Amino acid sequence: FGSSLKIQVLTPSPRPTSLFTPMAKGLRCLILLASLLVVDGLATGKLGKELKKEKGYEGAWSLTIQLRFKDVATRDEFLKSWGVLARYVRDYEPFCLLFEAIQSDKDPLLLIVDERYTDKDVYGKHRSSDAFNVFRPQMQKLQDAGRLQVLGESGVGISLKNI
């Protein structure tokens, strides 16, 4: 054994600051969210289907709507009724891949609503739901009164594997 034996004392190193930057915090949140989705997929038996969604949205039916409001009070009135519909979609429409309202960062009177469904046929199920049929007349009332302008487009998603 002789004198060639070296002993190294290991001391704990300080916490690396790179793990606590805003970007790293966001990454940790993303990892936590992904973990929760996997756990939910395992619990509900939808794990394989959920992972398939992440590979692309080939054939998905998408709708993007710009909503321009006359005033903030009208926007807030809309969001209350839209929130009821959004909660219904979240809880009862598993075929809906995305359903969100985006507040413009440049214009407080502009909302963008993005919707994505597994295909166009299930979009018809969404439009025939009780929740949609309560919401849509409320939205139409705002349009008819000139308090809301709607501009939208829809179409089928293009998967990256087809490009």
Side-chain angles (χ1 to χ4, degrees):
F1 295 124
S3 63
S4 64
L5 180 64
K6 293 182 182 180
I7 297 175
Q8 182 178 6
V9 178
L10 299 176
T11 59
S13 59
R15 290 169 69 168
T17 56
S18 63
L19 291 177
F20 300 96
T21 64
M23 182 185 291
K25 183 178 179 181
L27 183 58
R28 288 193 319 269
C29 289
L30 186 59
I31 290 168
L32 176 61
L33 178 60
S35 299
L36 291 173
L37 289 172
V38 168
V39 169
D40 180 59
L42 291 171
T44 61
K46 296 180 182 178
L47 181 61
K49 185 175 182 181
E50 296 301 318
L51 290 176
K52 183 177 179 185
K53 289 180 192 176
E54 293 179 3
K55 292 181 181 175
Y57 296 109
E58 184 176 359
W61 182 253
S62 298
L63 180 67
T64 300
I65 306 166
Q66 290 186 13
L67 304 168
R68 178 154 310 277
F69 298 91
K70 185 174 182 178
D71 51 50
V72 172
T74 302
R75 181 202 63 198
D76 292 347
E77 179 183 340
F78 169 86
L79 282 171
K80 283 183 184 177
S81 60
W82 184 86
V84 173
L85 176 62
R87 286 179 190 89
Y88 175 86
V89 169
R90 177 195 65 200
D91 296 341
Y92 299 105
E93 294 187 359
F95 50 82
C96 181
L97 304 170
L98 174 68
F99 196 83
E100 71 179 356
I102 303 163
Q103 174 64 64
S104 168
D105 61 351
K106 297 178 184 93
D107 184 349
L109 302 180
L110 178 64
L111 288 180
I112 302 158
V113 174
D114 274 340
E115 302 177 34
R116 187 168 295 134
Y117 302 88
T118 53
D119 59 52
K120 190 174 181 178
D121 292 336
V122 297
Y123 175 64
K125 289 181 185 179
H126 165 73
R127 289 185 57 92
S128 65
S129 71
D130 290 340
F132 182 85
N133 287 311
V134 168
F135 164 78
R136 190 59 182 102
Q138 295 169 347
M139 182 175 161
Q140 189 63 53
K141 183 178 174 184
L142 295 175
Q143 289 177 264
D144 293 345
R147 297 171 60 202
L148 170 61
Q149 294 176 339
V150 178
L151 177 65
E153 291 294 330
S154 60
V156 176
I158 300 171
S159 173
L160 288 175
K161 70 180 182 180
N162 294 327
I163 296 176

